Amino acid sequence: MSKKEVITDTELKEYYDGMKNSYLGPLWYDLGHMVTKEPVHDVEPYLWKWKTIRDYVMKAGEILEPGKDAERRVVYLQNPNLLKHGLVGYGTHTLYAGIQLLLPGEFAPSHHHSQGAIRFIIEGSGAYTAVNGEKVYMERGDMILTPAWTWHEHKHEGTEPMIWLDGLDVGLVKNLAASFFEPYENGFYPEQPPENYSTEKFAKGAFVPKGKKEKPGYPSPIIGYKWERAKYVLEQMSKSPKENEDPYDGYAIEYINPTTGGSADERIGSMMQRLLPNQHTKAHRHVHSAIYHVLEGKGSTVINGQKFEWERGDFFILPPWSWHEHVNEGSEDAYLFSFNDKPVMDILGLEYEEAHPEGHQKIEKVFTPGP
Ligand code: GTQ
């Protein structure tokens, strides 16, 4: 006799209803929903065309001004399926991506927050981000850190619109109930010369003032990561394909904090990939999620059997635990910048990666971008 038979259906119903009303639950029904066999999530793969994003961003340039009408002039990427769950500003469950515009002469005032931020420069020159007062000038392809809780402001001294990507760990920090934000009292953090100091610090050698050690830890002593140097490293790497070609990412570099050897930002990982013409990577999946920006080139990424075609400027979402592979379909090199939540998965011991059993996926459908 099963234990069930000692109790009537009515009694059983009463038992479960009573338990529910007492805010208790039967694990024998729910374990599978809590401790899933594999990562379960609501993050949808998606792609935005650069023209669509840029048009909305430029229009914002006509209708509002940072420092006056808004803290920042930014259009963010919204994951469609996460919006259905009320998660506003989520690109993935952990990561946020915004596209910021600063017009000549404009200023976005100083503030700080517990979210970390990385910036990737898309268009323009002559603007700077000041991080704790140090001006770091922006050029296309550069990556600039605003480590968590550092004061930062943006100013444009150039003549053309300046557009960049902001990558923040908004979802992660929100779900950990750890968000703090504070504006700087008068908006201007005192300038700490020299400008670009931390970008150049280790650029041509490794020196510190006598007697001063570079302490291992965060934030990184480097704030600005120059595109010309990233590109140089990638070009050198492709001269020794055997040693340097990654089966899943082509030629790929990660931006690091030289004092730890780990990710440049403590929680947001960042990577630049170079794919040679016709280069087709193998498919794999991993626990961490990522947001991609196409710096240069033309090609596609297949995510869980769906083909996402991309070209210069486009953005796309790589959800957690999703099969993916990249192809360069153009005649020039393709460069893909991405940022991710891998450092968090690594430090928590949650990162896990799996190769696709067949090496490549079957393409079942082709993504067409929205309206
Ligand atoms: O430039 O400091 O896209 O604080 C979102 C939050 C940009 C910024 C964003 C921010 C910023």
Side-chain angles (χ1 to χ4, degrees):
M1 186 175 86
S2 137
K3 287 210 169 179
K4 248 177 166 170
E5 289 164 35
V6 302
I7 186 167
T8 67
D9 285 354
T10 321
E11 284 168 335
L12 211 53
K13 188 176 179 312
E14 257 169 42
Y15 171 73
Y16 283 122
D17 288 350
M19 201 193 292
K20 201 171 173 184
N21 292 335
S22 307
Y23 300 105
L24 297 169
L27 182 64
W28 52 95
Y29 276 134
D30 299 323
L31 180 63
H33 300 291
M34 294 179 209
V35 183
T36 59
K37 287 185 177 146
E38 286 186 19
V40 170
H41 61 84
D42 296 308
V43 184
E44 180 180 347
Y46 200 78
L47 180 143
W48 294 262
K49 298 303 294 175
W50 177 238
K51 189 186 175 324
T52 310
I53 300 172
R54 193 178 186 282
D55 285 352
Y56 280 105
V57 172
M58 291 308 290
K59 188 73 190 171
E62 293 170 23
I63 61 184
L64 60 115
E65 193 180 329
K68 293 208 171 89
D69 314 306
E71 185 78 10
R72 298 290 189 260
R73 186 199 284 122
V74 178
V75 173
Y76 61 80
L77 307 184
Q78 175 63 53
N79 191 285
N81 198 45
L82 294 182
L83 185 61
K84 288 182 198 151
H85 295 265
L87 301 172
V88 174
Y90 282 58
T92 76
H93 59 319
T94 54
L95 301 170
Y96 155 100
I99 317 302
Q100 184 157 175
L101 168 68
L102 210 55
L103 293 171
E106 287 181 342
F107 178 72
S110 188
H111 67 205
H112 68 179
H113 38 68
S114 49
Q115 291 79 3
I118 59 116
R119 319 208 181 264
F120 188 78
I121 317 309
I122 299 172
E123 209 178 291
S125 66
Y128 66 78
T129 288
V131 178
N132 286 343
E134 183 194 327
K135 293 177 175 180
V136 182
Y137 279 88
M138 306 170 165
E139 290 175 301
R140 178 171 159 79
D142 293 352
M143 200 280 281
I144 296 174
L145 298 182
T146 306
W149 213 239
T150 54
W151 294 104
H152 54 284
E153 62 202 52
H154 315 298
K155 174 134 207 264
H156 196 357
E157 298 171 344
T159 55
E160 301 296 322
M162 188 86 218
I163 304 179
W164 67 85
L165 154 72
D166 299 313
L168 283 77
D169 50 357
V170 167
L172 176 74
V173 173
K174 194 165 177 187
N175 284 303
L176 294 175
S179 177
F180 291 95
F181 170 91
E182 192 177 39
Y184 195 73
E185 46 201 56
N186 60 5
F188 293 86
Y189 189 91
E191 195 177 323
Q192 308 289 325
E195 59 197 38
N196 291 324
Y197 176 65
S198 62
T199 307
E200 296 303 325
K201 209 170 180 183
F202 302 128
K204 302 232 161 62
F207 307 103
V208 292
K210 187 185 169 207
K212 287 204 177 161
K213 280 187 181 164
E214 202 58 64
K215 291 197 191 77
Y218 285 94
S220 168
I222 298 181
I223 293 292
Y225 295 73
K226 299 302 289 179
W227 168 228
E228 62 184 51
R229 294 183 197 133
K231 193 171 183 190
Y232 171 79
V233 173
L234 288 164
E235 282 166 1
Q236 296 308 306
M237 282 170 68
S238 60
K239 289 178 182 165
S240 316
K242 271 211 190 87
E243 287 77 30
N244 295 324
E245 188 180 352
D246 182 277
Y248 309 112
D249 289 313
Y251 297 95
I253 52 173
E254 292 178 271
Y255 298 75
I256 67 158
N257 171 350
T259 72
T260 65
S263 169
D265 183 81
E266 193 165 8
R267 298 189 300 262
I268 306 173
S270 43
M271 181 164 85
M272 177 65 79
Q273 285 168 244
R274 177 183 182 214
L275 301 169
L276 306 180
N278 298 315
Q279 191 165 4
H280 185 169
T281 67
K282 285 194 168 154
H284 74 158
R285 61 181 175 181
H286 40 61
V287 172
H288 71 270
S289 65
I291 302 181
Y292 272 80
H293 169 64
V294 183
L295 179 66
E296 281 172 31
K298 198 173 159 34
S300 64
T301 298
V302 182
I303 304 173
N304 285 342
Q306 189 176 13
K307 187 178 180 183
F308 292 80
E309 294 166 322
W310 43 254
E311 59 190 343
R312 182 181 163 122
D314 294 350
F315 280 84
F316 62 91
I317 299 288
L318 176 65
W321 205 235
S322 302
W323 297 116
H324 60 282
E325 62 197 271
H326 312 285
V327 199
N328 179 354
E329 293 166 5
S331 51
E332 306 286 331
D333 288 352
Y335 288 96
L336 302 177
F337 175 78
S338 60
F339 65 102
N340 59 61
D341 51 15
K342 185 168 184 289
V344 176
M345 301 306 167
D346 282 336
I347 205 151
L348 297 178
L350 293 170
E351 179 61 350
Y352 181 66
E353 181 195 1
E354 199 172 72
H356 192 283
E358 278 130 47
H360 295 288
Q361 305 159 80
K362 279 191 196 73
I363 297 173
E364 281 145 14
K365 54 180 175 170
V366 179
F367 175 83
T368 42

